[in-house]
Amino acid sequence: MKKVKERFTTAKGVAYYPHISKPDQNYGGYKVNLCLSKEDAEPTIAVIKNVLTQGIQMDKALKKSITKQAPLPFKDEVGEDGVPTGNIIFKLKSGEDYKPAVFDSKNKAMINHNIWGGSIIKVGGTADYYNTNIGAGVTLRLNAVQIIEYVQGSDGADRFGFTEEEGFSFEDEFIEAVEREAEKDTGEPLPDEPVQLELPL
């Protein structure tokens, strides 16, 4: 039986809680919540409603039971004060075996990436109709992502908000200590050429 689905590409939006670079271990797949302005969200909402309408019509024609309508894969964003912000949040996901393709703003494929929340992205996806025991609804499949503004995760000092400053450098201190020891052994100062050292981990 032919499935009811439709491809779409979103406008630029803010990525919330992205698991694009690696799957979410709790969910078992890739996902992202995409925040768009209400105006920018309208084309994607239209796709979802169109797929849902076509799917329900198909099931009715096939005399398939429809118990109820499942929750739609988008909702109003609500601020900390409980008041809607005027933005819409879409929930997109894909299975662990379906890693989304990632491209930069110039449409060049990105192989290595660590995409964090706050990145500005566009999403290419598929609105896929379903009818199960939870009702008739639409799932947004996460197929591909284009990075417009890249917020990259890090395990280094910058993830704590530190930036490079003038001052103490462990590398400089280490090199100077090695040079002092060498001078003691030879009695002669080392040449001024750069010294290539392998620093300890």
Side-chain angles (χ1 to χ4, degrees), residues 19 22-31 94 96:
H19 286 270
K22 58 184 179 181
D24 180 354
Q25 297 303 316
N26 294 323
Y27 161 65
Y30 299 90
K31 65 178 185 178
S94 63
E96 194 167 4

Side-chain angles (χ1 to χ4, degrees), residues 40-85:
D40 286 342
E42 286 177 358
T44 304
I45 291 175
V47 169
I48 294 168
K49 291 182 175 179
N50 182 53
V51 169
L52 181 62
T53 299
Q54 287 188 39
I56 290 174
Q57 289 174 347
M58 180 189 69
D59 281 346
K60 285 182 176 179
L62 295 172
K63 310 257 185 244
K64 289 188 66 175
S65 173
I66 300 175
T67 58
K68 59 182 178 180
Q69 181 182 307
L72 293 173
F74 64 89
K75 63 181 181 179
D76 290 333
E77 182 186 40
V78 177
E80 294 181 359
D81 54 2
V83 177
T85 64

Side-chain angles (χ1 to χ4, degrees), residues 66 92 98 134 165 195:
I66 300 175
L92 303 105
Y98 298 93
I134 66 170
E165 301 279 359
V195 179

Side-chain angles (χ1 to χ4, degrees), residues 17-18 26-27 42 48 60 62 71 89 92-93 110 116 125 145 155 158 160 185 193 195 199:
Y17 310 110
N26 294 323
Y27 161 65
E42 286 177 358
I48 294 168
K60 285 182 176 179
L62 295 172
I89 296 178
L92 303 105
K93 59 186 179 180
M110 295 175 63
W116 274 29
V145 172
D155 294 325
D158 53 344
F160 296 103
D185 292 340
E193 288 83 2
V195 179
L199 301 182

Side-chain angles (χ1 to χ4, degrees), residues 18-22 30-32 94 98-116 119-124 142-151:
H19 286 270
I20 298 170
S21 301
K22 58 184 179 181
Y30 299 90
K31 65 178 185 178
V32 65
S94 63
Y98 298 93
K99 184 175 183 178
V102 176
F103 303 90
D104 67 13
S105 62
K106 308 301 182 186
N107 285 337
K108 301 297 184 183
M110 295 175 63
I111 306 302
N112 298 313
H113 45 77
N114 188 12
I115 303 165
W116 274 29
S119 296
I120 306 298
I121 66 173
K122 295 172 71 174
V123 173
L142 176 61
N143 299 335
V145 172
Q146 183 182 32
I147 306 297
I148 309 301
E149 295 182 20
Y150 185 30
V151 177

